[in-house]
Amino acid sequence: MRILLTAAAALSFFLTSFCTVSAQENQADPYKQRMELYKKVEAITNIPWYYLAGIDQYERNVRQARRDIPKAEGITGIYFKPEEWTGILNPNPSDENPTSIQFFDGIGIDGDGDGKASLKSDEDVLHSFANFLLSYGTDHDNLKIGLWNYYKRDKTVGIIIGKAQVYKHFGRLNLDDHAFPVPLRSNYSYRNTWGDARGWGGRRIHEGTDIFANYGVPVRATSYGIVEMKGWNKYGGWRIGIRDINNNYHYFAHLSGFAKDLKLGQIVEPGMLIGGVGSSGYGPPGTSGKFPPHLHYGIYKDNGYTEWSYDPYPHLKLWERQDRIKARKK
């Protein structure tokens, strides 16, 4: 009997420890927590999880980029104004009663079944947004209509749909890796030129970093994302724009050409070949050779209202260092 009790105690200790460790791992892994929540809401609403992920990630990035709305505190990033949540005519801006919120046409609902519609509940917040979309439908076209009616901005809808496609393609949320835009083995050089004065095409600042390399050196995608723009610009020459999952727009200009079969809407990953270093631009399509071959690389951030350039140099140095570490490990 004493042996049986000891074994039972050991089993109990193991199960308790396992559950504790599992809970700690889950708590420490926001990607896992978010995916579990997306899948749970998908099972109830039939809205595919990757659309929910795209919306949530877009909102999280906007909150990080702006100062007029609070930063996200939970595992989700969706933000509702209190009056939007409870209803604009609701005399109680802190109302958590689902019945009175519904009476005043508020968007908040009880998603976790605790009898409250709380802005502090990640499940309530995600269910509320999903419930709004359900009034339009669950197929792609109707979800786009629902998103437009909520945000009233074509660019926002496009960014969210792009994120959803990226998440669907890779089937996971942890897509934060990056790559330096040219191979480390190539002969290249660069320095911080963001913000420098530029005279070509009128007085303006340089919105990027120039990476000088030999003509035709491979140019690679720096992040997971989707090709949002491809073509000719009289200043940038042959250029590509890639939108990543963090609302960043990665701009590659003065290319010698594009990778074979690269097309608009294509999903890319870090290190994927997208083109070659060139000297195109400053003239009609095909103009080249007015300056030494180099890659102009810029990053732009969208905050839900507008988009602006920011200095890519620190990121380039970080990705270069990370690529060197990866190369040494191989």
Side-chain angles (χ1 to χ4, degrees):
M1 176 64 71
R2 187 172 182 179
I3 296 175
L4 290 174
L5 285 173
T6 302
L11 178 60
S12 176
F13 174 78
F14 170 77
L15 291 175
T16 301
S17 300
F18 177 79
C19 291
T20 301
V21 171
S22 297
Q24 290 174 343
E25 288 178 347
N26 189 52
Q27 186 176 12
D29 186 355
Y31 296 119
K32 183 176 181 181
Q33 289 178 297
R34 289 169 191 157
M35 182 63 88
E36 288 175 353
L37 182 55
Y38 301 153
K39 290 294 185 71
K40 185 175 182 179
V41 175
E42 177 188 48
I44 296 172
T45 64
N46 287 324
I47 296 176
W49 70 267
Y50 40 87
Y51 286 101
L52 301 172
I55 295 164
D56 189 34
Q57 181 70 358
Y58 173 81
E59 292 259 347
R60 180 179 300 104
N61 296 147
V62 165
R63 294 177 75 167
Q64 290 172 347
R66 283 173 41 190
R67 298 180 180 179
D68 60 328
I69 52 179
K71 307 303 180 188
E73 296 181 353
I75 63 169
T76 58
I78 296 173
Y79 173 70
F80 292 112
K81 295 178 181 178
E83 62 270 21
E84 184 181 15
W85 183 262
T86 61
I88 195 167
L89 298 178
N90 194 327
N92 180 11
S94 301
D95 194 3
E96 293 186 343
N97 186 317
T99 303
S100 56
I101 288 176
Q102 184 179 19
F103 177 80
F104 287 106
D105 293 324
I107 200 169
I109 65 172
D110 174 20
D112 56 15
D114 66 352
K116 298 179 180 179
S118 174
L119 275 170
K120 297 179 180 179
S121 167
D122 290 310
E123 199 163 338
D124 287 358
V125 168
L126 191 60
H127 268 285
S128 296
F129 203 109
N131 188 60
F132 170 82
L133 292 178
L134 273 179
S135 62
Y136 296 91
T138 60
D139 62 283
H140 177 77
D141 290 339
N142 283 312
L143 286 173
K144 285 183 67 175
I145 293 171
L147 288 171
W148 193 92
N149 283 325
Y150 183 82
Y151 289 106
K152 302 292 193 299
R153 184 176 182 243
D154 289 336
K155 189 166 189 175
T156 292
V157 176
I159 291 174
I160 290 174
I161 294 300
K163 290 179 189 288
Q165 291 172 335
V166 172
Y167 284 131
K168 180 182 179 182
H169 179 84
F170 291 104
R172 56 190 175 90
L173 302 175
N174 54 330
L175 302 174
D176 297 320
D177 290 340
H178 292 87
F180 194 68
V182 299
L184 297 184
R185 67 179 181 275
S186 60
N187 183 20
Y188 67 88
S189 65
Y190 68 105
R191 61 184 181 86
N192 192 354
T193 57
W194 186 85
D196 288 355
R198 284 291 183 269
W200 284 86
R203 292 193 62 81
R204 55 198 171 90
I205 68 165
H206 189 228
E207 296 183 346
T209 292
D210 290 335
I211 302 175
F212 289 88
N214 293 330
Y215 193 90
V217 164
V219 172
R220 313 183 303 169
T222 52
S223 64
Y224 291 96
I226 188 166
V227 177
E228 195 172 277
M229 181 272 297
K230 172 192 171 189
W232 178 269
N233 175 277
K234 66 178 180 179
Y235 299 130
W238 300 118
R239 80 270 195 264
I240 295 170
I242 296 173
R243 181 78 58 179
D244 71 14
I245 60 167
N246 294 312
N247 290 14
N248 295 308
Y249 178 78
H250 302 252
Y251 180 68
F252 306 78
H254 304 316
L255 302 175
S256 59
F258 307 118
K260 184 180 179 180
D261 299 328
L262 186 78
K263 58 184 181 298
L264 287 174
Q266 183 169 337
I267 294 168
V268 300
E269 58 185 288
M272 179 176 170
L273 177 67
I274 60 172
V277 171
S279 59
S280 60
Y282 294 104
T287 303
S288 184
K290 291 190 173 183
F291 43 78
H294 68 277
L295 169 68
H296 169 94
Y297 176 75
I299 308 182
Y300 297 77
K301 170 71 76 175
D302 185 273
N303 68 357
Y305 288 139
T306 186
E307 191 168 71
W308 73 95
S309 166
Y310 66 94
D311 188 359
Y313 183 79
H315 301 277
L316 290 169
K317 296 298 289 185
L318 173 62
W319 302 337
E320 182 183 36
R321 185 165 62 251
Q322 290 174 340
D323 275 4
R324 292 194 189 283
I325 293 173
K326 292 175 185 176
R328 283 198 294 268
K329 289 182 178 179
K330 291 179 181 179

